[in-house]
Amino acid sequence: MCGLLLPSEGEILLDGHRPDEYNRDELYSLFGLVPQNYHLLPVSIARNIACTYEEKEVNTEKLAACIRLAGLEEKVNALPQGALTPIDRQVNPDGIALSGGEIQKLLLARLLYRRPKCMILDEPAAALDPIAEDRMYRRYHEIVKGATSVFISHRLNSTRFCDRILLLDRAGIAECGTHKELMAAGKRYRELFDLQSKYYKDDWQGATEAG
């Protein structure tokens, strides 16, 4: 969708046209991604989010709003240098190492700073703790406001807030609809959702009984 990778079979059409029919820079400007594979620079948190060459180029008000919405505010506020704190201790003696969940929040803040027309979030909550994950879901419509969003997840408890769900199976679309529609259909989606829900309930009940 972003045009970064070309399909080995078939074709991808954007509004009925192949990606190579568009101006590349304009096409890239339309998309933003929270990927599973990422790269962070050994510079400040602020520059990692804004992707600027110098600190003075960062819009501080915009940065603060993105950090808050991404759920990284508490971490940044606890740092002596705040968003100016550098990342990577191997390069910066006073740098910090971020946890997996904090990196996902930073990547989300980076996406929000750009505010593209289409946001693709690939398992954006995989490294978040349950509380942080719930907060992200509650803020999701604020996060993607004014944009088309594609949310990719193996956890079906995270799909309920989506306007349209595509269940992929064997390299094809097995089912399509809202959470309510797919649950009512009683097919593969319902089976998978009930199976995952069972484990959540069993874990909760087991923890309750043990407590």
Side-chain angles (χ1 to χ4, degrees), residues 131-178:
I131 294 176
E133 183 178 6
D134 180 68
R135 286 174 179 168
M136 191 197 75
Y137 295 153
R138 291 177 184 275
R139 293 176 175 175
Y140 190 76
H141 289 291
E142 184 181 358
I143 290 171
V144 301
K145 184 177 181 181
T148 296
S149 68
V150 178
F151 188 95
I152 304 166
S153 179
H154 285 86
R155 294 192 233 177
L156 298 189
N157 68 313
S158 66
T159 61
R160 287 175 290 182
F161 62 89
C162 297
D163 297 318
R164 184 169 59 144
I165 300 167
L166 300 177
L167 177 65
L168 303 181
D169 187 26
R170 300 178 186 274
I173 298 175
E175 293 182 69
C176 176
T178 65

Side-chain angles (χ1 to χ4, degrees), residues 93-130:
D94 57 343
I96 62 167
L98 298 175
S99 68
E102 290 165 348
I103 290 173
Q104 283 199 311
K105 292 175 183 178
L106 186 149
L107 295 174
L108 179 57
R110 177 186 287 177
L111 175 69
L112 292 170
Y113 194 90
R114 285 194 59 225
R115 275 289 173 192
K117 293 295 183 181
C118 182
M119 300 182 177
I120 302 175
L121 299 94
D122 189 2
E123 299 281 6
L128 300 181
D129 61 70

Side-chain angles (χ1 to χ4, degrees), residues 5-50:
L5 299 173
L6 297 178
S8 57
E9 294 182 26
E11 60 181 355
I12 295 175
L13 301 179
L14 300 176
D15 201 18
H17 298 274
R18 297 194 314 272
D20 60 11
E21 294 181 48
Y22 294 95
N23 177 280
R24 186 183 63 179
D25 292 337
E26 291 181 359
L27 179 65
Y28 287 173
S29 71
L30 297 176
F31 292 92
L33 175 68
V34 175
Q36 292 192 52
N37 298 318
Y38 57 84
H39 294 282
L40 298 181
L41 299 173
V43 296
S44 69
I45 292 173
R47 284 181 59 196
N48 265 287
I49 292 174

Side-chain angles (χ1 to χ4, degrees), residues 78-90:
L79 299 171
Q81 298 182 65
L84 298 181
T85 303
I87 295 174
D88 196 335
R89 289 174 178 166
Q90 293 183 330

